[in-house]
Structure formats: structure tokens, C-alpha cells
Amino acid sequence: MAACTSDPPGLPGTFLFLARTELEDPRYLVALDEVFSFRPIWIAPDRNMWCDVLTARRPGSARPHMHARPAFAYTLSGRWGYAERDWTAAPGDFVCEPAGMRHTLVAHAGDAPLRVLFVVQGPLVWLDDDGNPDGYFDVHQYVARCAAHFERVGLGEARVRALMR
Ligand SMILES: [Fe+2]
């Protein structure tokens, strides 16, 4: 089990010490879509922000979207990129997704599982094939999705609240 220690949960400005992120344990991986899942590791509801480790079950693409504010990504393992860009991110590579620019995340095949540390400030806006807004995703939806998943797999939604600062 992951350990959240030192300071009580739910209090902005207190330390979060996540001793182990349990990336090998599928119960902690929340499905984003048919390809991608994420392991939530820090959530700030009052700032509409979250941090997670993105993984992929197989090579493939996510829904196109754009962000209201920049998002940051650091590659831990695996290979990934964007349908709109010709470069591939590998371990050690850093990416900043600028605000207001459409992008489509792509998980590439590789020897190692995809693991990318993301820091996101919501909301993000899903885009349809014509580039028009098609819904949004903010920290409240993020929390609801995590809580529903953690409840379903028996971890309990308190484990999501423990990540909030
Ligand atoms: Fe993005």
C-alpha cells in the first residue's frame, strides 16, 4: 500500500510524502480511455491542478485536446509524442504543452512501459475532429474519476483524498 504520511490530508501548504507510487499495482491505475491510464499522485482542488504518472496499456492515441494553461511532462520510461509533432520523447525528455494549442498524445511501442510524469492545471478542453470544443475535463472530474475507480477496486476514495493538498 502507498503511504501518505507526515501531514494530514486535505490541507493546502502541508507536505505530501508518497513513499511508493505503486506503479506496478494495476489497482492504482485509473483509465483515461482505451489506451491511457494514470496513477494520481497529487491533487490540488482549489487550484484546479493535479500530478500523475501516465501509462499506456498498448500503443495508441488519446483524444485531441488543448489546455487553458501550460501542462508539463517528464518522461520516466517508454516512448511517446504527439500526432501533430514529428519528434519522439524518450526517458529524460521534458515537454511543455502550451496553452491553447491542439495536441493528440500518442503512445509508441517500446521495450519499456510508458511512464510520464505530468503536471496539469485544468481545465483542458476536448476537441472533435474539426477542432471544435467537445467537453472539458477539470480537477473535479479528475477527482470523481479517481474516487470511483479507487472505490471499485477496493482501495477506497479516502486514498484519493489523501493525495489532496
Ligand atoms: Fe495535454
Side-chain angles (χ1 to χ4, degrees), residues 60-108:
S61 301
R63 288 180 70 187
H65 64 277
M66 63 181 182
H67 298 269
R69 294 185 171 83
F72 305 98
Y74 184 78
T75 313
L76 301 170
S77 66
R79 295 164 56 81
W80 65 287
Y82 301 91
E84 298 85 357
R85 298 289 179 273
D86 59 6
W87 42 259
T88 297
D93 292 347
F94 171 79
V95 174
C96 173
E97 300 178 348
M101 188 168 290
R102 173 196 168 102
H103 53 282
T104 307
L105 199 67
V106 179
H108 296 304

Short mmCIF file of all heavy atoms in Angstrom, two decimals, residues 60-108:
data_model
loop_
_atom_site.label_atom_id
_atom_site.label_comp_id
_atom_site.label_asym_id
_atom_site.label_seq_id
_atom_site.Cartn_x
_atom_site.Cartn_y
_atom_site.Cartn_z
N GLY A 60 -1.08 3.67 -29.05
CA GLY A 60 -2.33 4.27 -29.50
C GLY A 60 -2.38 5.74 -29.17
O GLY A 60 -1.41 6.32 -28.67
N SER A 61 -3.53 6.35 -29.43
CA SER A 61 -3.70 7.79 -29.29
C SER A 61 -4.79 8.12 -28.28
O SER A 61 -5.72 7.33 -28.07
CB SER A 61 -4.08 8.42 -30.63
OG SER A 61 -3.10 8.16 -31.60
N ALA A 62 -4.67 9.31 -27.69
CA ALA A 62 -5.70 9.86 -26.82
C ALA A 62 -6.59 10.81 -27.64
O ALA A 62 -6.34 11.04 -28.83
CB ALA A 62 -5.08 10.60 -25.65
N ARG A 63 -7.62 11.33 -27.00
CA ARG A 63 -8.47 12.31 -27.68
C ARG A 63 -7.70 13.62 -27.85
O ARG A 63 -7.00 14.07 -26.92
CB ARG A 63 -9.73 12.60 -26.86
CG ARG A 63 -10.73 11.49 -26.83
CD ARG A 63 -11.92 11.88 -25.98
NE ARG A 63 -12.73 12.93 -26.60
CZ ARG A 63 -13.74 13.53 -26.00
NH1 ARG A 63 -14.04 13.23 -24.75
NH2 ARG A 63 -14.44 14.46 -26.62
N PRO A 64 -7.86 14.30 -28.98
CA PRO A 64 -7.25 15.63 -29.13
C PRO A 64 -7.82 16.58 -28.08
O PRO A 64 -9.01 16.50 -27.73
CB PRO A 64 -7.66 16.05 -30.54
CG PRO A 64 -8.06 14.82 -31.25
CD PRO A 64 -8.59 13.89 -30.19
N HIS A 65 -6.97 17.47 -27.59
CA HIS A 65 -7.42 18.44 -26.60
C HIS A 65 -6.48 19.63 -26.57
O HIS A 65 -5.44 19.63 -27.22
CB HIS A 65 -7.52 17.79 -25.21
CG HIS A 65 -6.20 17.34 -24.67
ND1 HIS A 65 -5.63 16.13 -25.00
CD2 HIS A 65 -5.31 17.94 -23.83
CE1 HIS A 65 -4.48 15.99 -24.38
NE2 HIS A 65 -4.25 17.09 -23.66
N MET A 66 -6.87 20.63 -25.82
CA MET A 66 -5.96 21.75 -25.54
C MET A 66 -6.20 22.20 -24.10
O MET A 66 -7.22 21.88 -23.49
CB MET A 66 -6.18 22.91 -26.51
CG MET A 66 -7.54 23.54 -26.44
SD MET A 66 -7.67 24.88 -27.66
CE MET A 66 -9.33 25.48 -27.31
N HIS A 67 -5.20 22.90 -23.57
CA HIS A 67 -5.23 23.30 -22.17
C HIS A 67 -5.45 24.80 -22.02
O HIS A 67 -5.04 25.59 -22.88
CB HIS A 67 -3.91 22.94 -21.49
CG HIS A 67 -3.63 21.47 -21.46
ND1 HIS A 67 -4.00 20.65 -20.44
CD2 HIS A 67 -3.01 20.68 -22.38
CE1 HIS A 67 -3.62 19.42 -20.70
NE2 HIS A 67 -3.02 19.40 -21.87
N ALA A 68 -6.08 25.17 -20.90
CA ALA A 68 -6.22 26.59 -20.58
C ALA A 68 -4.90 27.18 -20.09
O ALA A 68 -4.66 28.38 -20.23
CB ALA A 68 -7.31 26.78 -19.52
N ARG A 69 -4.05 26.31 -19.52
CA ARG A 69 -2.74 26.74 -19.03
C ARG A 69 -1.72 25.69 -19.41
O ARG A 69 -2.08 24.54 -19.66
CB ARG A 69 -2.78 26.96 -17.52
CG ARG A 69 -3.68 28.11 -17.11
CD ARG A 69 -3.60 28.35 -15.63
NE ARG A 69 -4.29 29.59 -15.26
CZ ARG A 69 -5.60 29.66 -15.05
NH1 ARG A 69 -6.34 28.57 -15.17
NH2 ARG A 69 -6.17 30.80 -14.73
N PRO A 70 -0.45 26.04 -19.44
CA PRO A 70 0.56 25.04 -19.85
C PRO A 70 0.52 23.80 -18.96
O PRO A 70 0.24 23.88 -17.77
CB PRO A 70 1.88 25.80 -19.67
CG PRO A 70 1.52 27.24 -19.76
CD PRO A 70 0.15 27.35 -19.15
N ALA A 71 0.83 22.67 -19.58
CA ALA A 71 0.99 21.41 -18.86
C ALA A 71 2.44 20.96 -19.05
O ALA A 71 3.07 21.26 -20.07
CB ALA A 71 0.01 20.35 -19.39
N PHE A 72 2.96 20.23 -18.06
CA PHE A 72 4.37 19.84 -18.07
C PHE A 72 4.48 18.32 -17.96
O PHE A 72 3.70 17.69 -17.24
CB PHE A 72 5.11 20.49 -16.90
CG PHE A 72 4.97 21.99 -16.90
CD1 PHE A 72 4.03 22.61 -16.09
CD2 PHE A 72 5.74 22.77 -17.73
CE1 PHE A 72 3.87 23.99 -16.09
CE2 PHE A 72 5.59 24.16 -17.75
CZ PHE A 72 4.65 24.77 -16.93
N ALA A 73 5.47 17.78 -18.68
CA ALA A 73 5.64 16.33 -18.71
C ALA A 73 7.11 15.97 -18.67
O ALA A 73 7.93 16.59 -19.36
CB ALA A 73 4.98 15.74 -19.97
N TYR A 74 7.43 14.97 -17.88
CA TYR A 74 8.80 14.45 -17.81
C TYR A 74 8.74 12.94 -18.02
O TYR A 74 8.02 12.22 -17.33
CB TYR A 74 9.44 14.76 -16.46
CG TYR A 74 10.87 14.32 -16.38
CD1 TYR A 74 11.88 15.07 -16.97
CD2 TYR A 74 11.20 13.13 -15.74
CE1 TYR A 74 13.20 14.64 -16.91
CE2 TYR A 74 12.52 12.70 -15.69
CZ TYR A 74 13.51 13.47 -16.27
OH TYR A 74 14.81 13.04 -16.23
N THR A 75 9.52 12.46 -18.99
CA THR A 75 9.46 11.06 -19.39
C THR A 75 10.32 10.19 -18.48
O THR A 75 11.53 10.39 -18.39
CB THR A 75 9.94 10.89 -20.84
OG1 THR A 75 9.31 11.87 -21.66
CG2 THR A 75 9.63 9.49 -21.35
N LEU A 76 9.68 9.23 -17.82
CA LEU A 76 10.40 8.30 -16.95
C LEU A 76 10.82 7.05 -17.72
O LEU A 76 11.94 6.57 -17.56
CB LEU A 76 9.51 7.91 -15.76
CG LEU A 76 9.03 9.08 -14.89
CD1 LEU A 76 7.96 8.61 -13.92
CD2 LEU A 76 10.19 9.71 -14.15
N SER A 77 9.92 6.52 -18.53
CA SER A 77 10.25 5.36 -19.36
C SER A 77 9.29 5.30 -20.54
O SER A 77 8.24 5.94 -20.54
CB SER A 77 10.21 4.06 -18.55
OG SER A 77 8.90 3.77 -18.13
N GLY A 78 9.68 4.54 -21.55
CA GLY A 78 8.85 4.39 -22.74
C GLY A 78 9.07 5.52 -23.73
O GLY A 78 9.93 6.39 -23.56
N ARG A 79 8.28 5.47 -24.80
CA ARG A 79 8.41 6.44 -25.89
C ARG A 79 7.02 6.95 -26.26
O ARG A 79 6.07 6.19 -26.36
CB ARG A 79 9.06 5.76 -27.12
CG ARG A 79 10.50 5.32 -26.88
CD ARG A 79 10.96 4.34 -27.94
NE ARG A 79 10.84 4.86 -29.29
CZ ARG A 79 11.72 5.68 -29.86
NH1 ARG A 79 12.79 6.05 -29.21
NH2 ARG A 79 11.52 6.13 -31.08
N TRP A 80 6.92 8.26 -26.47
CA TRP A 80 5.63 8.86 -26.74
C TRP A 80 5.83 10.17 -27.50
O TRP A 80 6.95 10.65 -27.66
CB TRP A 80 4.88 9.10 -25.43
CG TRP A 80 5.53 10.11 -24.52
CD1 TRP A 80 6.68 9.93 -23.79
CD2 TRP A 80 5.10 11.45 -24.30
NE1 TRP A 80 6.97 11.09 -23.11
CE2 TRP A 80 6.03 12.03 -23.39
CE3 TRP A 80 4.03 12.21 -24.75
CZ2 TRP A 80 5.91 13.35 -22.95
CZ3 TRP A 80 3.91 13.52 -24.30
CH2 TRP A 80 4.85 14.07 -23.40
N GLY A 81 4.73 10.74 -27.95
CA GLY A 81 4.80 12.00 -28.66
C GLY A 81 3.41 12.51 -28.96
O GLY A 81 2.45 12.22 -28.23
N TYR A 82 3.31 13.27 -30.06
CA TYR A 82 2.03 13.86 -30.45
C TYR A 82 1.82 13.64 -31.95
O TYR A 82 2.77 13.71 -32.73
CB TYR A 82 2.01 15.37 -30.16
CG TYR A 82 2.24 15.69 -28.71
CD1 TYR A 82 3.51 15.92 -28.22
CD2 TYR A 82 1.16 15.75 -27.82
CE1 TYR A 82 3.73 16.20 -26.88
CE2 TYR A 82 1.37 16.04 -26.48
CZ TYR A 82 2.66 16.26 -26.02
OH TYR A 82 2.86 16.54 -24.69
N ALA A 83 0.58 13.43 -32.34
CA ALA A 83 0.28 13.27 -33.75
C ALA A 83 0.66 14.52 -34.54
O ALA A 83 0.98 14.43 -35.73
CB ALA A 83 -1.22 12.97 -33.93
N GLU A 84 0.65 15.68 -33.87
CA GLU A 84 0.93 16.95 -34.55
C GLU A 84 2.42 17.29 -34.59
O GLU A 84 2.80 18.33 -35.13
CB GLU A 84 0.19 18.09 -33.83
CG GLU A 84 -1.33 17.96 -33.86
CD GLU A 84 -1.87 17.08 -32.73
OE1 GLU A 84 -1.06 16.53 -31.96
OE2 GLU A 84 -3.10 16.94 -32.64
N ARG A 85 3.28 16.45 -34.00
CA ARG A 85 4.72 16.73 -33.94
C ARG A 85 5.49 15.52 -34.45
O ARG A 85 5.04 14.39 -34.27
CB ARG A 85 5.16 17.05 -32.50
CG ARG A 85 4.49 18.31 -31.93
CD ARG A 85 5.03 19.56 -32.61
NE ARG A 85 4.42 20.79 -32.11
CZ ARG A 85 3.30 21.31 -32.56
NH1 ARG A 85 2.63 20.69 -33.52
NH2 ARG A 85 2.83 22.43 -32.07
N ASP A 86 6.69 15.77 -35.02
CA ASP A 86 7.43 14.65 -35.61
C ASP A 86 8.52 14.11 -34.68
O ASP A 86 9.26 13.21 -35.06
CB ASP A 86 8.02 15.04 -36.96
CG ASP A 86 8.97 16.22 -36.87
OD1 ASP A 86 9.26 16.67 -35.73
OD2 ASP A 86 9.42 16.71 -37.93
N TRP A 87 8.63 14.64 -33.48
CA TRP A 87 9.64 14.12 -32.56
C TRP A 87 9.03 13.11 -31.60
O TRP A 87 7.81 13.06 -31.40
CB TRP A 87 10.36 15.24 -31.80
CG TRP A 87 9.48 16.36 -31.30
CD1 TRP A 87 9.32 17.58 -31.88
CD2 TRP A 87 8.65 16.35 -30.14
NE1 TRP A 87 8.45 18.33 -31.14
CE2 TRP A 87 8.02 17.61 -30.06
CE3 TRP A 87 8.38 15.41 -29.13
CZ2 TRP A 87 7.13 17.95 -29.04
CZ3 TRP A 87 7.49 15.74 -28.12
CH2 TRP A 87 6.89 17.01 -28.08
N THR A 88 9.91 12.30 -31.00
CA THR A 88 9.51 11.29 -30.02
C THR A 88 10.21 11.57 -28.71
O THR A 88 11.42 11.77 -28.69
CB THR A 88 9.87 9.88 -30.53
OG1 THR A 88 9.13 9.62 -31.73
CG2 THR A 88 9.53 8.82 -29.49
N ALA A 89 9.43 11.57 -27.62
CA ALA A 89 10.01 11.77 -26.29
C ALA A 89 10.44 10.43 -25.73
O ALA A 89 9.73 9.43 -25.84
CB ALA A 89 8.99 12.44 -25.36
N ALA A 90 11.63 10.40 -25.12
CA ALA A 90 12.21 9.21 -24.53
C ALA A 90 12.59 9.52 -23.08
O ALA A 90 12.50 10.67 -22.65
CB ALA A 90 13.43 8.78 -25.35
N PRO A 91 13.03 8.51 -22.31
CA PRO A 91 13.36 8.76 -20.90
C PRO A 91 14.33 9.93 -20.73
O PRO A 91 15.34 10.03 -21.42
CB PRO A 91 14.00 7.43 -20.47
CG PRO A 91 13.29 6.42 -21.31
CD PRO A 91 13.10 7.08 -22.64
N GLY A 92 13.99 10.82 -19.82
CA GLY A 92 14.79 12.00 -19.56
C GLY A 92 14.32 13.22 -20.32
O GLY A 92 14.76 14.34 -20.03
N ASP A 93 13.42 13.05 -21.27
CA ASP A 93 12.95 14.17 -22.09
C ASP A 93 11.80 14.90 -21.39
O ASP A 93 10.91 14.28 -20.81
CB ASP A 93 12.47 13.68 -23.46
CG ASP A 93 13.62 13.17 -24.32
OD1 ASP A 93 14.78 13.43 -23.96
OD2 ASP A 93 13.34 12.50 -25.33
N PHE A 94 11.84 16.22 -21.52
CA PHE A 94 10.84 17.09 -20.90
C PHE A 94 9.99 17.75 -21.98
O PHE A 94 10.51 18.12 -23.05
CB PHE A 94 11.54 18.17 -20.06
CG PHE A 94 10.62 19.25 -19.56
CD1 PHE A 94 9.82 19.04 -18.46
CD2 PHE A 94 10.55 20.48 -20.20
CE1 PHE A 94 8.96 20.03 -17.99
CE2 PHE A 94 9.70 21.48 -19.74
CZ PHE A 94 8.90 21.25 -18.64
N VAL A 95 8.72 17.91 -21.71
CA VAL A 95 7.81 18.57 -22.66
C VAL A 95 6.95 19.58 -21.92
O VAL A 95 6.48 19.30 -20.81
CB VAL A 95 6.88 17.53 -23.34
CG1 VAL A 95 5.85 18.23 -24.22
CG2 VAL A 95 7.68 16.53 -24.16
N CYS A 96 6.76 20.74 -22.51
CA CYS A 96 5.75 21.69 -22.05
C CYS A 96 4.69 21.82 -23.13
O CYS A 96 5.01 22.14 -24.28
CB CYS A 96 6.38 23.06 -21.77
SG CYS A 96 5.13 24.32 -21.37
N GLU A 97 3.46 21.50 -22.77
CA GLU A 97 2.33 21.70 -23.69
C GLU A 97 1.82 23.12 -23.47
O GLU A 97 1.34 23.45 -22.39
CB GLU A 97 1.22 20.69 -23.38
CG GLU A 97 1.65 19.24 -23.53
CD GLU A 97 0.52 18.27 -23.16
OE1 GLU A 97 -0.50 18.74 -22.59
OE2 GLU A 97 0.65 17.07 -23.44
N PRO A 98 1.90 23.98 -24.49
CA PRO A 98 1.47 25.36 -24.29
C PRO A 98 -0.05 25.47 -24.21
O PRO A 98 -0.77 24.60 -24.69
CB PRO A 98 2.00 26.06 -25.55
CG PRO A 98 2.05 24.99 -26.57
CD PRO A 98 2.40 23.72 -25.84
N ALA A 99 -0.50 26.53 -23.60
CA ALA A 99 -1.94 26.77 -23.52
C ALA A 99 -2.51 27.04 -24.90
O ALA A 99 -1.87 27.66 -25.76
CB ALA A 99 -2.23 27.95 -22.59
N GLY A 100 -3.72 26.53 -25.12
CA GLY A 100 -4.47 26.90 -26.32
C GLY A 100 -4.05 26.23 -27.61
O GLY A 100 -4.51 26.63 -28.68
N MET A 101 -3.18 25.20 -27.54
CA MET A 101 -2.74 24.55 -28.77
C MET A 101 -3.20 23.10 -28.81
O MET A 101 -2.93 22.32 -27.89
CB MET A 101 -1.21 24.62 -28.88
CG MET A 101 -0.69 24.14 -30.23
SD MET A 101 1.06 24.54 -30.45
CE MET A 101 0.97 26.32 -30.62
N ARG A 102 -3.89 22.74 -29.87
CA ARG A 102 -4.40 21.38 -30.03
C ARG A 102 -3.25 20.38 -30.05
O ARG A 102 -2.22 20.61 -30.71
CB ARG A 102 -5.18 21.29 -31.34
CG ARG A 102 -5.63 19.89 -31.71
CD ARG A 102 -6.02 19.85 -33.19
NE ARG A 102 -6.19 18.47 -33.64
CZ ARG A 102 -7.39 17.89 -33.80
NH1 ARG A 102 -8.49 18.56 -33.59
NH2 ARG A 102 -7.46 16.64 -34.20
N HIS A 103 -3.42 19.26 -29.36
CA HIS A 103 -2.43 18.19 -29.44
C HIS A 103 -3.10 16.85 -29.16
O HIS A 103 -4.12 16.77 -28.49
CB HIS A 103 -1.26 18.44 -28.48
CG HIS A 103 -1.68 18.69 -27.06
ND1 HIS A 103 -2.17 19.90 -26.63
CD2 HIS A 103 -1.68 17.88 -25.98
CE1 HIS A 103 -2.44 19.83 -25.35
NE2 HIS A 103 -2.17 18.61 -24.93
N THR A 104 -2.51 15.81 -29.73
CA THR A 104 -3.03 14.45 -29.64
C THR A 104 -1.92 13.54 -29.16
O THR A 104 -0.97 13.26 -29.89
CB THR A 104 -3.52 13.97 -31.03
OG1 THR A 104 -4.44 14.93 -31.56
CG2 THR A 104 -4.19 12.62 -30.92
N LEU A 105 -2.02 13.12 -27.91
CA LEU A 105 -0.99 12.29 -27.30
C LEU A 105 -0.94 10.92 -27.96
O LEU A 105 -1.98 10.30 -28.20
CB LEU A 105 -1.32 12.14 -25.82
CG LEU A 105 -0.22 11.72 -24.86
CD1 LEU A 105 0.83 12.82 -24.75
CD2 LEU A 105 -0.84 11.45 -23.49
N VAL A 106 0.27 10.44 -28.24
CA VAL A 106 0.45 9.15 -28.87
C VAL A 106 1.44 8.32 -28.06
O VAL A 106 2.55 8.79 -27.76
CB VAL A 106 0.97 9.29 -30.32
CG1 VAL A 106 1.18 7.91 -30.94
CG2 VAL A 106 0.01 10.11 -31.16
N ALA A 107 1.04 7.10 -27.69
CA ALA A 107 1.95 6.16 -27.04
C ALA A 107 2.56 5.28 -28.12
O ALA A 107 1.83 4.66 -28.90
CB ALA A 107 1.18 5.31 -26.03
N HIS A 108 3.90 5.24 -28.18
CA HIS A 108 4.59 4.41 -29.16
C HIS A 108 4.94 3.06 -28.56
O HIS A 108 5.06 2.92 -27.34
CB HIS A 108 5.87 5.11 -29.63
CG HIS A 108 5.63 6.39 -30.34
ND1 HIS A 108 4.82 6.50 -31.46
CD2 HIS A 108 6.07 7.66 -30.09
CE1 HIS A 108 4.79 7.75 -31.87
NE2 HIS A 108 5.52 8.49 -31.05
#
